[in-house]
Amino acid sequence: MKNLKEYNLEELKQELISLGEKPYRAEQIFNWLYKEKIKNIDDMTNLSLSLREKLKQTYTMCNFEILQKQESSDGTIKYLFDVLDGNAIETVLMQYHHGKTICVSSQIGCKMGCKFCASTGIAFVRNLTAGEIIEQILAVEQDIGEAISNIVFMGIGEPFDNYENVMKAVRIINHPKGLEIGARHISISTSGIVPKIYDFANEELQCTLSISLHATNNEKRSQMMPVNNLYKIEDLITACKDYIAKTNKRISFEYALAKDNNDNLEDAKALVQLLKGMLCHVNLIPINKIENGKFIKSNNENIIKFRDYLNEHGIVATIRRELGSDIDAACGQLRRKNLK
Ligand code: SAH
């Protein structure tokens, strides 16, 4: 069976044509999927009964089942979804004053091996499909009965290691006839897959690009993030500069502060040197300690000092509010789960 949510509008039109149907039927189906947000082909009531039956022979809706739902005292909700092949992934809903944000996963597991991240250490299984990325949003919206305003690709997985599917999902999420979430409300975070940063600069998408930087020299960054052995900081920064020049968009650099590792004044100075003159913003994340992890959170005083130093030296920096840490839903705490 094929998943109806795997197709963009053009592809869905081709599917309908190959079934001997008029292409406008695809627009109707798209409307049911992304505007009416129905769960069953049977509910597509402006399609004839015979067409609905015909569709059901080849297509499914691949609705995720909620296996577990945990709610934090701050309103954050962590979902464990059954992705229908014996695996489960986590998706997080965060509630801010300005709206609801979903942190989506892009892969089942992750290959990047960042030393501070809970997604490390459990084997990588596979990429999520575009339909499975979109379904995380639909399933949460269905559960809370409200629309989502922002999407961040900061759940399990490396979005740029699943580039094609992520780009396809983003375009359906953004499409006026799709979920119609503005590209400016979509952020994609990468650990620094340099060639894909060049590709992304050419996508003509208005999404925010976030770069997980976390350190200012190769020695320290390689200790935290093995991807740095492949793509060095100099090459990463060159790619970021190219992206900014091509798109005129601000990059958001993520920097997780770990006590006595990357959180002292020398590190702040080096960060200013590295990012000086770039159109960017620094997002400081108090690192969340993971089980058996060697990195521990900087103290608040240090975090504030670090932020103030950056701000005083021309780099706009903010401290990310921690949400959902009491239910293991904060940055870096998500894991893939296997049901088998
Ligand atoms: N693979 C992508 C997106 C997933 S992680 C990436 O690396 O960017 C989303 C963000 O959370 C990244 O900036 C990541 O470095 C950060 N992160 C991971 N583990 C963390 C932890 N334990 N504490 C704080 N931030 C963490």
Side-chain angles (χ1 to χ4, degrees):
M1 293 291 253
K2 302 177 184 177
N3 177 5
L4 274 182
K5 294 164 194 158
E6 293 304 341
Y7 303 101
N8 63 32
L9 190 52
E10 282 315 306
E11 290 167 345
L12 198 56
K13 284 182 182 167
Q14 290 310 317
E15 289 292 307
L16 270 290
I17 291 168
S18 66
L19 289 177
E21 298 290 331
K22 295 269 187 302
Y24 78 90
R25 294 288 182 203
E27 302 231 2
Q28 292 177 317
I29 295 173
F30 228 63
N31 196 65
W32 285 115
L33 294 177
Y34 301 118
K35 301 295 184 200
E36 301 298 331
K37 302 176 185 176
I38 49 113
K39 292 297 220 188
N40 296 298
I41 291 174
D42 283 327
D43 296 335
M44 300 183 177
T45 47
N46 58 359
L47 307 183
S48 68
L49 270 177
S50 64
L51 175 54
R52 278 180 256 166
E53 287 307 317
K54 190 151 89 177
L55 287 174
K56 276 166 30 187
Q57 284 167 18
T58 316
Y59 303 95
T60 67
M61 303 267 295
C62 285
N63 302 314
F64 286 169
E65 194 191 315
I66 300 176
L67 293 170
Q68 209 185 327
K69 187 177 156 182
Q70 283 172 276
E71 193 154 352
S72 155
S73 52
D74 61 31
T76 301
I77 303 177
K78 183 171 74 172
Y79 292 89
L80 181 68
F81 289 121
D82 178 355
V83 298
L84 313 173
D85 69 347
N87 283 290
I89 48 155
E90 293 183 328
T91 303
V92 177
L93 169 72
M94 293 164 290
Q95 329 230 22
Y96 294 102
H97 298 301
H98 58 267
K100 299 196 184 314
T101 297
I102 292 188
C103 179
V104 294
S105 293
S106 54
Q107 296 179 313
I108 302 179
C110 186
K111 297 181 211 156
M112 295 302 118
C114 298
K115 295 285 187 287
F116 46 82
C117 180
S119 302
T120 293
I122 335 161
F124 172 82
V125 179
R126 65 171 173 87
N127 286 331
L128 289 175
T129 65
E132 290 169 328
I133 293 169
I134 295 166
E135 177 58 19
Q136 295 173 60
I137 305 166
L138 290 170
V140 173
E141 286 189 337
Q142 170 89 7
D143 183 56
I144 61 170
E146 277 180 69
I148 300 301
S149 50
N150 295 276
I151 308 294
V152 295
F153 281 82
M154 295 189 187
I156 302 162
E158 166 51 51
F160 281 1
D161 186 39
N162 182 17
Y163 189 80
E164 298 302 325
N165 293 348
V166 166
M167 289 305 123
K168 185 172 190 182
V170 165
R171 289 203 154 86
I172 296 173
I173 292 167
N174 178 233
H175 198 283
K177 291 185 172 159
L179 282 173
E180 208 179 357
I181 296 175
R184 286 189 176 77
H185 297 266
I186 304 171
S187 293
I188 302 179
S189 180
T190 178
S191 57
I193 315 262
V194 165
K196 293 293 184 271
I197 297 173
Y198 287 100
D199 290 348
F200 189 63
N202 294 322
E203 294 285 348
E204 299 196 1
L205 278 168
Q206 296 298 315
C207 306
T208 301
L209 175 62
S210 294
I211 304 284
S212 299
L213 186 62
H214 304 321
T216 53
N217 62 57
N218 285 318
E219 194 193 341
K220 212 174 266 187
R221 193 164 187 269
S222 294
Q223 277 168 15
M224 299 174 81
M225 308 176 70
V227 66
N228 195 71
N229 292 315
L230 211 53
Y231 306 112
K232 299 276 174 256
I233 290 193
E234 308 75 73
D235 301 332
L236 178 59
I237 296 295
T238 305
C240 289
K241 287 182 174 161
D242 172 85
Y243 172 87
I244 294 167
K246 273 201 189 118
T247 63
N248 202 26
K249 285 188 63 68
R250 183 181 302 273
I251 287 184
S252 174
F253 286 100
E254 291 157 284
Y255 192 98
L257 288 156
K259 188 168 185 298
D260 299 330
N261 172 60
N262 60 353
D263 68 338
N264 64 36
L265 207 58
E266 290 309 309
D267 294 299
K269 280 183 190 162
L271 193 53
V272 169
Q273 285 310 312
L274 193 65
L275 302 183
K276 194 170 58 183
M278 288 173 77
L279 182 62
C280 71
H281 170 264
V282 173
N283 216 325
L284 297 170
I285 317 173
I287 210 162
N288 288 299
K289 187 176 179 322
I290 55 160
E291 221 180 291
N292 302 324
K294 69 169 187 169
F295 297 109
I296 56 171
K297 198 173 282 189
S298 301
N299 61 42
N300 283 345
E301 196 187 325
N302 246 21
I303 296 174
I304 290 168
K305 260 196 214 152
F306 202 98
R307 178 201 58 195
D308 291 347
Y309 184 88
L310 295 183
N311 283 331
E312 283 156 15
H313 292 81
I315 305 282
V316 183
T318 49
I319 300 168
R320 183 179 291 171
R321 234 176 90 212
E322 288 178 272
L323 290 175
S325 48
D326 56 340
I327 53 165
D328 281 353
C331 297
Q333 295 188 321
L334 303 186
R335 298 164 73 90
R336 86 170 168 85
K337 298 212 169 61
N338 207 313
L339 305 177
K340 284 180 212 149

